[in-house]
Each structure stands twice: as C-alpha cells, then as structure tokens.
Amino acid sequence: MLVLLPLTTEFAQRGGDVEALLLRHKIPLAALTTPTMLVDASACYAAMEDMAETLGDVHFGAKAATEAANKGAPAIWNAAKNAVTLGDFLARIVVEIATQVDNVRYLFSASADAANFEVQRTLRVSGPTTQLDAIGVVFYVSLIKRGLGKTFDPKHIIVTAPTNAGFPPDFLPKRSFIKSDINGLRISFPPKWLSEPFSPGWDVVETTRGEFARDGSDDGATVAYFRSVLMENIGPEDLSLNRFAEICGTHPRQMQRILSAQGVTYSQMKDEARRHLAVELVANTSTPIAQIALRVGLSGSSALTRAFRQWTGKTPMRFRAEAARDHDK
C-alpha cells in the first residue's frame, strides 16, 4: 500500500471513484488506512493501470511519482533525512524497504564501470506494468536528480525496464532507455556519483554534507552501505581492501577506521557477505552448487559444502530441499 495510497489520493482529486476502483480489484477500503494490512500485490498493480485508463492519462503514475520525489515520500523519509552521500542514501533505502514490503527486493551494487540501483519484483504479473514501471523509474531518477543537484547529468543515466510507455515525453534521452523483460527495473549511473553529497531538500533535519559521517556518529549506517555493496561484488576473484574502498568511493584507511569502530574487520565482513549470498542462492534458486561456490569466491562444491556445514549444520543440497518444502507449504 506504500504506492497505492498516494495514487488513490491523486485519483480522487481528479474525480476518480476510489471505492469503486478498490471493489473492482477486491482491495478492502480499510487497507488505505491500515498500513499493516496485507494486500495482494497483483491487485495493486492492476489498480494502478485501472486508474490511468479511467482518467485517460498514461502518464498518471509518472506525475504522481514526480510530485512524491519533490515533496517527500514517508516510506523513505528516514533514509533521506540521515543520508550524507548518494551511496549512503541508496544503501539506507535497501534496508528500509526490506522491513516494509515483501513484494519487491531492492538491490544496490557498484563496480569501477557503473553503479546500479535495482528493484526486483518477487512475483510476475500477467497484465501490463506500464504504471508500475513509470512510477519506479520516474520517482527514483527524479529523486537522484533532485538530491545530486548540478552533479546530475541525464546523459549518464541508463534505465532498464519492460516498457517506457508511461514515461513523460523528454523525461530522459531516448538512448538512456533499454527495453528488457526483467521483472522490475534497473537504474545505472557513474559510480563517482555515489560519493557525491546528497540532499533532496525535503523538510527534514539538516545533515552534514560530505563523504560519509566523519565524526563516527553514523558509522553503523555506513557499514550497512559497505555490506550492501560487498554483497554485489563478492566473486571468484579476491576483492582486496584497497579495491573495495575504491568501489565505495572512500579511502582504505577511512574504511578500516569505520569498520574498527563497529568491531568488525574487512575479512569478517567478506566472510559474512559470502555466507549470506551462498545461503540465499542455495535456498531461493536452482543454480548448481558448483556454480554457487564460484559465485561466492570458493574453489568448488566441496569447499562450499564444508563451509555450509559450518554455517548451517547442513549440506547445501539438504538445505535447498528443506527450503523448497517450506516454500510449498
């Protein structure tokens, strides 16, 4: 309901019948005033398309998303209030959204070539997603633009999504859009933007602008950012501290200071990232065990099996079988 509530408000202001809309899609009216109420995600997505069709405005969702980016969205208020850099902000969003919804997964990764902010849907819908795609892309691109100010350059943004039919004309250069059948969207931009000061200018408490919190007051959130980036960069080649610091846009000594203040070493953080990624791939994909081992930087299936027994007390195959049974219940 995080997205549907502001949309229904805008829909009503433009003369739409909200009660009739919700009834058509079997969404309880009480869901608009009860944030904890579970609502079928497919029904919400269909309702978005219905609103745009009823109003005869394919850009309905994009307009609402632009307004939300300019005025502020409560769902990510804390992330915007406490963020210092763009990388810090995106890492906070990943954490905050994970605690609020289960129909999407937010991912944030960076390499020497590009930074990627990705929204993955956990279910695949049969109907159109024009409004859903437009809302996600327009909201986050507008927010990045607003937060970075003069640093933002639309020529350096690449958006990957199933369709751009709901995007406003001239929202981005045509070459900035890649059509793909991914179940979600991806926004890519130069990695150097991650260390740039970020402030959306919402009515929130002012924060120090600079490269991470230097007084140690927000090291916990910065380590969360490091962990998120590390999860996406763990691989066959050993990732040195110097290389990882470069990816994160900070100095190795500063990274070590922040980690030390939180009682963790870079080696420990790498092992934790390897464990979390391996467990997720074993439990939620059908990827062969040998491939997972290489993906997380281990020599092969035997090495992963040994590590997995230490982590979970089970072999990868047994863990996968039990996870499959749990999903089927």
Side-chain angles (χ1 to χ4, degrees):
M1 301 306 295
L2 296 176
V3 175
L4 196 57
L5 178 56
L7 285 179
T8 53
T9 301
E10 179 69 18
F11 182 63
Q13 291 175 350
R14 295 177 61 173
D17 187 334
V18 174
E19 291 190 26
L21 171 81
L22 298 180
L23 183 62
R24 284 197 295 273
H25 298 282
K26 301 180 180 179
I27 299 174
L29 182 60
L32 296 180
T33 55
T34 310
T36 57
M37 182 176 290
L38 298 177
V39 179
D40 180 69
S42 295
C44 291
Y45 300 160
M48 295 177 194
E49 302 299 328
D50 192 340
M51 283 186 271
E53 184 175 348
T54 299
L55 295 174
D57 184 0
V58 72
H59 301 131
F60 168 70
K63 292 174 182 175
T66 301
E67 184 174 356
N70 290 333
K71 292 185 176 180
I76 58 173
W77 191 271
N78 288 333
K81 180 177 68 174
N82 295 311
V84 177
T85 63
L86 175 61
D88 187 15
F89 172 67
L90 295 179
R92 290 172 184 274
I93 285 182
V94 171
V95 174
E96 287 195 18
I97 294 297
T99 66
Q100 299 178 46
V101 297
D102 62 2
N103 61 305
V104 293
R105 292 179 62 228
Y106 280 43
L107 301 174
F108 170 41
S109 62
S111 68
D113 299 319
N116 298 292
F117 180 68
E118 189 167 354
V119 180
Q120 295 181 348
R121 298 168 198 147
T122 58
L123 57 87
R124 189 172 289 274
V125 296
S126 57
T129 59
T130 301
Q131 296 305 305
L132 186 62
D133 297 332
I135 290 168
V137 170
V138 172
F139 176 74
Y140 284 111
V141 171
S142 297
L143 196 51
I144 292 171
K145 177 181 179 180
R146 184 179 177 87
L148 289 181
K150 294 181 179 180
T151 298
F152 180 86
D153 185 343
K155 296 192 297 294
H156 294 153
I157 283 272
I158 298 293
V159 169
T160 305
T163 177
N164 65 346
F167 297 5
D170 303 323
F171 174 66
L172 285 173
K174 290 184 178 180
R175 64 183 180 83
S176 294
F177 175 72
I178 298 176
K179 185 175 181 180
S180 170
D181 63 355
I182 63 171
N183 192 25
L185 61 94
R186 184 185 303 113
I187 301 171
S188 304
F189 51 88
K192 65 181 180 180
W193 288 6
L194 293 175
S195 59
E196 290 292 326
F198 179 88
S199 176
W202 295 345
D203 186 19
V204 296
V205 177
E206 290 294 325
T207 58
T208 302
R209 295 167 66 95
E211 185 192 41
F212 305 122
R214 296 183 182 276
D215 59 0
S217 62
D218 214 10
D219 283 350
T222 302
V223 171
Y225 161 58
F226 291 158
R227 292 184 193 278
S228 177
V229 176
L230 187 57
M231 281 282 288
E232 296 303 319
N233 286 277
I234 285 290
E237 297 182 5
D238 185 49
L239 189 62
S240 69
L241 173 64
N242 287 351
R243 177 69 185 112
F244 183 62
E246 180 184 354
I247 291 173
C248 293
T250 188
H251 193 279
R253 284 197 297 272
Q254 184 185 4
M255 177 174 284
Q256 286 180 314
R257 178 194 63 76
I258 293 172
L259 294 178
S260 177
Q262 294 297 306
V264 64
T265 66
Y266 177 59
S267 179
Q268 289 171 336
M269 193 167 65
K270 276 204 301 186
D271 288 341
E272 290 173 6
R274 183 175 289 114
R275 183 185 74 238
H276 286 303
L277 181 57
V279 169
E280 179 177 344
L281 292 174
V282 168
N284 299 313
T285 76
S286 58
T287 305
I289 300 303
Q291 289 186 20
I292 294 177
L294 295 177
R295 172 65 181 84
V296 301
L298 296 176
S299 59
S301 56
S302 296
L304 179 61
T305 298
R306 288 193 298 271
F308 224 83
R309 282 200 178 103
Q310 293 178 344
W311 297 332
T312 68
K314 303 170 185 177
T315 67
M317 294 306 295
R318 179 183 173 188
F319 192 90
R320 173 172 283 174
E322 291 180 358
R325 286 197 296 270
D326 290 341
H327 289 322
D328 292 338
K329 290 180 180 178

